[in-house]
Amino acid sequence: MNTPSAEFQLRFLDYLQRIFDEGEFTATYKFALLMALADLSVERGDDSDTELTLTSQEIARKFIGYYDRQARPFPATGGGDEPIVLHQNTGKQARIVNIVREAQAEYVFKVKRAGMRLRSDNRLVADVARTVRDQPLWRLQVLGRDADGFFYPNIGTGHEITLRPGVAYCFRRFHGFVHGLAQNRWVAFIRERRQNLDVLGETVDLGAFLFGSDRADLSAYRTMLVDIQSKCCFYCNEDLKTSEVDHFIPWSRYGTDLGHNFVLACRRCNHDKRDMLADVRHLEHWVRRNEDHGAAMNGYFEEQQLVHDLPGSVMITKWSYQQAENVGAHVWRRGSDTAGLRGSWRRFI
Ligand SMILES: [Zn+2]
């Protein structure tokens, strides 16, 4: 399998740096677009140097996921009184924030239950996709007079882009780096807006609000997981007295709340595993569980309107183990026992 040369990979990083240094940022959309390109390269791409075509709808679904968290009112910690929705544009509020807020309100009203996750229905996706096309998609790569586009041909119009050969590979390889840079700049952009000054204190952890895992939401998965795991810990199989919903692929490695990524663990295992990947034995268990309970899980996710995408979760999991193998990472087995990742992980996924 051909992979891009080291020189190409450096050019990719140089170009990324140029976007941050030379690009114009009037809204947070370009940060979201870079994160979406990295995520979709993981979920849809592979480790060869081939091209990857992405539609504005696919990108829009990613945007909805990011802004769903961010469109919630921010609890005031500075001098202000009322929680406000953070401003995400240099002018009036970013359109996508308004669209997502309207959809959230309508959605909660429709199902008459607060705290449900936003469902990305077709009308909402089409609406967000239009803004993606009008705003960041064809502007991301305009750097002064240079508008050729290193990531994808910058043809300036249309519903889809095609990442050039090697670009999806680099987005996969540097996924954490791209997300880290984009999120830092996103946080700084929001801090700089005068409309946000009143609610943002000096010390507030804005990054956690904008990008952290939403622990409170995870309770929605508990009932189903208690049922399919027969009240036992996913990792050690002990009876669950206290249980915690755990991201099988840790949030710090890939921030996804897709339904199949959740398992129920005892407090001890959850604490011991921390931000590590689980050993091959646990990976095999995860794959089997999704095979054995796939239909029931899908039914539950649909009924509760929880975001899920099993093929996407499998791609993310494969990518995570591949990354771990590439860097010689240790994986968690049990208690404080860790070991190098064995190549046999490929047999199971
Ligand atoms: Zn356990």
Side-chain angles (χ1 to χ4, degrees):
M1 189 157 61
N2 285 336
T3 54
S5 65
E7 194 216 335
F8 180 88
Q9 295 181 39
L10 285 177
R11 281 172 54 212
F12 173 93
L13 292 174
D14 285 343
Y15 188 74
L16 186 66
Q17 190 64 51
R18 281 191 64 203
I19 287 185
F20 287 115
D21 290 347
E22 301 170 35
E24 264 187 68
F25 293 87
T26 55
T28 52
Y29 296 154
K30 287 181 182 172
F31 309 128
L33 178 55
L34 287 167
M35 286 169 59
L37 296 178
D39 281 351
L40 290 168
S41 293
V42 168
E43 293 167 32
R44 296 268 329 280
D46 60 35
D47 277 328
S48 72
D49 64 356
T50 50
E51 296 179 337
L52 178 65
T53 297
L54 302 171
T55 67
S56 59
Q57 278 81 9
E58 287 174 307
I59 295 169
R61 284 182 196 281
K62 284 286 158 196
F63 271 58
I64 292 165
Y66 309 143
Y67 286 99
D68 179 23
R69 301 179 49 76
Q70 307 205 353
R72 293 172 308 166
F74 185 82
T77 53
D81 303 314
E82 293 287 311
I84 65 158
V85 175
L86 295 170
H87 222 77
Q88 305 242 6
N89 198 311
T90 51
K92 56 185 201 299
Q93 178 63 290
R95 183 166 178 272
I96 289 178
V97 172
N98 290 334
I99 299 174
V100 169
R101 274 197 67 70
E102 278 167 30
Q104 283 173 334
E106 192 185 330
Y107 182 66
V108 170
F109 174 75
K110 249 197 299 200
V111 297
K112 290 196 174 20
R113 269 179 70 179
M116 303 282 286
R117 294 199 68 80
L118 176 69
R119 187 162 64 161
S120 359
D121 65 34
N122 292 339
R123 187 171 52 84
L124 173 63
V125 172
D127 217 2
V128 172
R130 193 176 315 122
T131 303
V132 168
R133 293 193 297 274
D134 289 347
Q135 306 249 358
L137 195 60
W138 304 115
R139 295 185 189 173
L140 177 73
Q141 302 181 103
V142 177
L143 305 172
R145 276 194 222 159
D146 174 8
D148 293 346
F150 178 86
F151 294 155
Y152 49 91
N154 204 37
I155 51 178
T157 179
H159 292 262
E160 59 182 36
I161 58 170
T162 299
L163 298 182
R164 296 184 193 275
V167 169
Y169 175 96
C170 290
F171 270 120
R172 289 165 65 84
R173 168 138 197 213
F174 301 115
H175 180 276
F177 185 66
V178 172
H179 268 235
L181 279 178
Q183 291 182 9
N184 281 341
R185 294 293 296 262
W186 194 327
V187 167
F189 184 92
I190 286 184
R191 278 199 185 283
E192 284 161 13
R193 308 276 69 77
R194 63 177 169 71
Q195 296 95 328
N196 299 332
L197 282 180
D198 275 356
V199 286
L200 295 180
E202 288 293 314
T203 53
V204 65
D205 188 356
L206 187 53
F209 174 78
L210 297 174
F211 305 110
S213 163
D214 201 347
R215 300 267 164 207
D217 256 1
L218 302 186
S219 56
Y221 299 92
R222 185 181 306 271
T223 320
M224 176 202 71
L225 291 171
V226 165
D227 203 27
I228 63 176
Q229 288 180 210
S230 311
K231 295 204 186 104
C232 293
C233 171
F234 180 83
Y235 299 109
C236 70
N237 211 30
E238 299 270 318
D239 276 352
L240 281 170
K241 290 181 190 73
T242 52
S243 63
E244 295 178 356
V245 179
D246 176 53
H247 287 87
F248 183 69
I249 300 299
W251 179 270
S252 60
R253 288 178 184 260
Y254 195 94
T256 173
D257 273 340
L258 292 174
H260 293 89
N261 192 41
F262 294 111
V263 300
L264 205 59
C266 69
R267 185 166 291 168
R268 208 169 143 204
C269 285
N270 194 24
H271 175 263
D272 287 340
K273 176 170 171 268
R274 289 170 294 140
D275 287 340
M276 302 184 83
L277 288 181
D279 185 34
V280 174
R281 183 167 62 89
H282 301 305
L283 174 66
E284 184 186 2
H285 182 191
W286 182 80
V287 172
R288 291 257 158 82
R289 180 204 69 175
N290 294 337
E291 283 168 5
D292 295 347
H293 298 282
M297 290 175 85
N298 278 339
Y300 182 85
F301 295 148
E302 285 296 317
E303 186 192 300
Q304 298 288 317
Q305 315 225 1
L306 296 162
V307 187
H308 63 102
D309 167 15
L310 182 57
S313 292
V314 169
M315 290 295 273
I316 291 165
T317 301
K318 260 189 194 172
W319 169 84
S320 301
Y321 279 83
Q322 182 64 61
Q323 294 283 101
E325 189 178 4
N326 291 348
V327 300
H330 273 216
V331 291
W332 174 79
R333 299 172 75 171
R334 73 177 78 79
S336 57
D337 183 14
T338 65
L341 174 61
R342 289 172 285 154
S344 58
W345 68 268
R346 292 165 201 288
R347 286 218 308 272
F348 303 110
I349 190 163

